[in-house]
Amino acid sequence: MYQYDEYDRKIVFERAEQFAHQVERRVSGDISELQFKPLRLQNGLYMQLQAYMLRVAVPYGLLSSRQMRMLAHIARRYDKGYGHFTTRQNIQYNWPKLEEVPALLRDLASVEMHAIQTSGNCIRNITSDHLAGVAKDELEDPRPIAEIMRQWSTFHPEFAYLPRKFKIAITGAPDHDRAAVRIHDIGVRLLKNEAGEVGCQIIVGGGLGRTPVVGKTIREWLPKEDLLSYLEAVLRVYNQWGDRKDKFKARIKILVNTLGQAEFTRRVEEEWVHIKDGVMKLTQAEIDRVSKFFVPPAYKTLPDSSAQLASFKLGKDREFGRWAQHNVDQHKVPGYSAVYLSLKMPDTPPGDVSDTQMDAIAQLSDEFSFGEIVATHTQNLVLPHVETARLPELYQALAKLDLARPNQNLITDIISCPGLDFCDLANARSIPQALEISKRFEDLDYQHDIGELNIKMSGCINACGHHHVGHIGILGINKRGVEAYQLALGGAPGNDASIAKIVGPAFPPDKIVNAVETVVKQYLAIRSSDDERFLDCYRRVGMEPFKEALYGAH
Amino acid sequence: MADTNELVVVTAHWLADGAPVYLTAAGTWSRALQEAEVFLVEKGEAEASLRGKTEQPIVADPYTFKIEKRDGFIDALSARERIRSTGPTVRVRRPD
């Protein structure tokens, strides 16, 4: 992974010191809250419902064991013993104290981490495929390009005051997008042109929130050397023409929609012509320099382990077999697997992990995964380099830590934002409902029978829980001061991205879980075979059967 | 337009830790909603505005929210303020 140089280290330490002075001035009353707010947001520090919240950047989700240990220390020392992994591959702490945040930032800086640009109207954390570098279906490891984009976007002087936040995602597996690039402000897909060269497809104007939109491809293929200049052109058009008066119309998706794809593209290309051969030209030397940080670890030469993995799935140990089936992904290197650590456990908010678990995960990553861990945008973790032969051993260790629930992509692998229990923006709680749903479907046989079904929950229209792209999406709303929940069906975030459609009137808190169960039962009743996934079934039959099941009696 | 007979309390974030606090009759801040002074809307908003100007080193962003008072008990009218006053409805630390 990328290693800071002296310049990088200086920046993050100086930033922590700068913020320390800003906090001093705020506490003394030298500066008002109005003056302080943009400064603290630029350091990822929010004022939430119950306390401050600090969002720490985890570039493309990649963590070293050393960094994970520091995250554990921060949870212990500065918070209430836990952290929360988010849908942007970041980690959040819900209870830091203001005057301790500078010390917290210094601790982060000591392990090459920070909270810079995790908030505010700037380019946020670059996200990517959680299997980057190891996926069998990957065309090329996207992490070098992700890192290049990260460096380009950090403290970019021209884009420090955009009309609104800006999110970029990249995938190196063009046929199986696990980074949800089509629902980002800019999505980058690495793919080959007709000559077989790997370059970048540019998708712009995707997003969720108040106006969910699947992004539009404005450039089918671009040589890597032109990526940064092209991104600059897109950002410049957005910076110049994006709405700055109405916060709810300020994202780039609105601009693309207003101008139309053709006109937006024209303006980008027009801007790009002036800068494409300038200082932003990405040299092969630079790509090679950064790529060196992502060379594969010292894998052993092992035989193919597909058969062994298959035998684990069907072996006598049923629990281990289930886990091997759902929580283990094939690896591009023979003899290795990528392992999911489920952060979706009963009675625990999705994505939460305790300090002791974080310490243990760090230790396991050293023992099993060359010291690397990846946060997924589905609020789980991955150990990306595990010898398949050692899966039984790892499983035992994870089970003791409560991190082995065999539910990846199943109905209890719920994405949920913090909701009204924590978030100042929320209209309704999301975590209690997520936990209730999880409890309703806790039977593993039942989950297995249902198959792939992603539930995504948001406590407000900002859609941090990605409800628009859930197979079942749930949105918490406020109806005259009372919480209620809208159900939507048929969303998907990947190559076949679609926005979920609202089924009908919202459900009160004590009925939403029943409503989800009704939908699931209807699916089981009408699917064409045991192998037909929920999403495919919905796309085949449409909304009516589900609407009828939910509301038909009323 | 707000009904001027509606009741409100003044709340803010405690600067040190961001916790919700409520303005009391003694002019201090309490973490307990039940210790809040109850105002009519106009007086409450004026008080919030004043505190916002004069107590910057102590609190952030004072504002008012509507309440009901029944048998001496203050009840926030919105789910948001109710949860804010009682704390998260989920366990905040993952048990080990």
Side-chain angles (χ1 to χ4, degrees), chain A residues 65-66 69 361-372:
Chain A
S65 57
R66 179 169 165 253
R69 285 190 179 91
I361 291 166
Q363 183 60 29
L364 289 174
S365 78
D366 284 335
E367 283 177 30
F368 291 90
S369 189
F370 297 100
E372 285 190 357

Side-chain angles (χ1 to χ4, degrees), chain A residues 502-515:
Chain A
I502 296 172
V503 187
F507 296 89
D510 61 347
K511 297 275 193 299
I512 183 62
V513 181
N514 289 346

